[in-house]
């Protein structure tokens, strides 16, 4: 069965995802919304997107709203995306930091975990066994499951420096051939937490560095200002 989403129905979903996540879906995303939500219409036997929207507005549909978020959020990510960020962390922030206690970094939209593990590799290289940790958050429960597994196709690991591959990654064999597992020495320093940047945040503690850029491109200017205001309270004095 083929489903066609009307302009009015698309507008309803566009408003809902903006309300929940602060993500501004432009008119060009209509076909994407239609195709990704069609499976939920089939699941419930609905004959229109409007019927599915009515279901989502019910107070008892928290779990279905999470499925909606998982379906409509973009989770593009890869290891060491925006290499200048990691160079700045390694060459400027870490050597010049006056550390007291645990050095803590937040990957504020970690998706399937590659950014968080990239940060952790840099910290392991620079700080060794001293006190440090990484927190990764995302509003999609689905991608957080992948992040916690720390298991990736080799085809998605091109950005990892060769030395880091040798020190911090395990190459799969047999049934796991062509895959990579992040070493447990890195995994145990990384924690993943469900969080929505557009809502009150969990207590993440004080942080030295927050990685945020790659998610900000999905928000309008007003939402960006609100998010920056919300997260800056987590930064330690002199944090980035």
């Amino acid at each position: 069965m083929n489903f066609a989403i009307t302009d009015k129905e698309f507008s309803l979903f566009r408003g809902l995802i903006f309300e929940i996540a602060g993500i501004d879906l432009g008119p060009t995303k209509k076909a994407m919304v239609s195709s990704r939500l069609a499976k939920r219409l089939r699941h419930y036997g609905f004959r229109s997107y409007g019927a599915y929207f009515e279901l989502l507005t019910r107070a008892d549909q928290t779990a279905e709203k999470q499925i909606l978020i998982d379906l409509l959020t973009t989770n593009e990510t890869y290891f060491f995306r925006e290499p200048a960020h990691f160079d700045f962390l390694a060459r400027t922030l870490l050597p010049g930091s006056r550390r007291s206690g645990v050095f803590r970094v937040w990957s504020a939209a970690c998706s399937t975990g590659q950014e968080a593990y990239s940060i952790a590799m840099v910290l392991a290289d620079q700080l060794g066994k001293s006190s440090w940790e990484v927190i990764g958050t995302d509003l999609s429960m689905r991608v957080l499951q992948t992040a916690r597994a720390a298991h990736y196709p080799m085809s998605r690991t091109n950005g990892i420096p060769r030395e880091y591959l040798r020190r911090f990654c395990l190459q799969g064999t047999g049934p796991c051939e062509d895959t990579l597992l992040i070493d447990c020495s890195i995994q145990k320093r990384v924690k993943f937490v469900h969080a929505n940047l557009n809502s009150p945040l969990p207590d993440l503690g004080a942080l030295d560095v927050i990685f945020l850029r790659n998610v900000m491109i999905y928000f309008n200017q007003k939402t960006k200002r609100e998010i920056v205001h919300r997260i800056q309270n987590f930064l330690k004095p002199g944090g980035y």
Side-chain angles (χ1 to χ4, degrees):
M1 182 183 298
N2 294 322
F3 302 101
I5 189 169
T6 67
D7 289 342
K8 181 179 179 180
E9 289 169 333
F10 172 66
S11 180
L12 290 172
F13 285 104
R14 185 180 180 184
L16 181 60
I17 199 68
F18 181 80
E19 177 186 343
I20 296 172
I23 297 172
D24 191 7
L25 294 175
T28 60
K29 301 297 184 180
K30 181 180 176 182
M32 181 270 286
V33 170
S34 177
S35 63
R36 292 188 182 182
L37 297 187
K39 63 184 70 176
R40 301 311 293 168
L41 271 67
R42 287 191 288 269
H43 174 80
Y44 285 107
F46 291 148
R47 303 185 68 84
S48 73
Y49 288 88
Y52 179 53
F53 181 83
E54 288 182 13
L55 173 73
L56 289 165
T57 60
R58 285 169 36 184
D60 62 347
Q61 292 300 313
T62 301
E64 189 64 35
K65 285 183 180 178
Q66 183 62 56
I67 292 174
L68 174 81
I69 290 169
D70 289 345
L71 289 172
L72 293 187
T73 49
T74 300
N75 298 298
E76 179 188 0
T77 187
Y78 43 89
F79 287 98
F80 291 89
R81 182 182 180 185
E82 306 292 344
H85 296 176
F86 302 97
D87 290 342
F88 186 70
L89 176 65
R91 298 177 184 178
T92 302
L93 297 188
L94 293 176
S97 66
R98 297 179 178 178
R99 292 185 293 278
S100 59
V102 181
F103 190 88
R104 306 181 70 241
V105 184
W106 177 17
S107 172
C110 68
S111 187
T112 45
Q114 285 94 325
E115 181 177 80
Y117 289 125
S118 298
I119 295 167
M121 291 180 202
V122 173
L123 297 183
D125 181 45
Q126 296 285 314
L127 303 182
K129 295 183 179 180
S130 63
S131 295
W132 60 266
E133 67 177 356
V134 179
I135 298 174
T137 65
D138 204 276
L139 84 163
S140 169
M141 298 291 286
R142 174 178 53 83
V143 298
L144 289 175
Q145 290 177 349
T146 300
R148 293 185 182 109
H151 190 205
Y152 302 98
M154 285 295 295
S155 59
R156 301 299 302 272
T157 61
N158 293 336
I160 304 176
R162 185 176 297 274
E163 177 65 12
Y164 285 3
L165 276 171
R166 183 185 67 81
R167 292 171 58 191
F168 305 129
C169 305
L170 303 172
Q171 185 171 353
T173 59
C176 295
E177 188 177 4
D178 297 324
T179 68
L180 172 149
L181 184 70
I182 303 298
D183 190 85
C184 63
S185 65
I186 296 293
Q187 286 192 50
K188 67 182 182 181
R189 302 277 199 133
V190 183
K191 179 172 69 174
F192 294 100
V193 178
H194 181 252
N196 183 349
L197 295 176
N198 200 48
S199 300
L201 293 162
D203 184 6
L204 302 174
L207 295 144
D208 294 275
V209 183
I210 299 175
F211 277 64
L212 189 70
R213 178 193 178 277
N214 290 333
V215 70
M216 294 291 267
I217 61 175
Y218 299 108
F219 303 128
N220 62 28
Q221 290 299 322
K222 180 176 181 292
T223 303
K224 289 178 182 178
R225 286 192 295 268
E226 291 171 349
I227 289 173
V228 169
H229 178 74
R230 190 174 295 121
I231 70 167
Q232 66 185 5
N233 294 325
F234 290 97
L235 270 181
K236 296 178 184 178
Y240 278 78

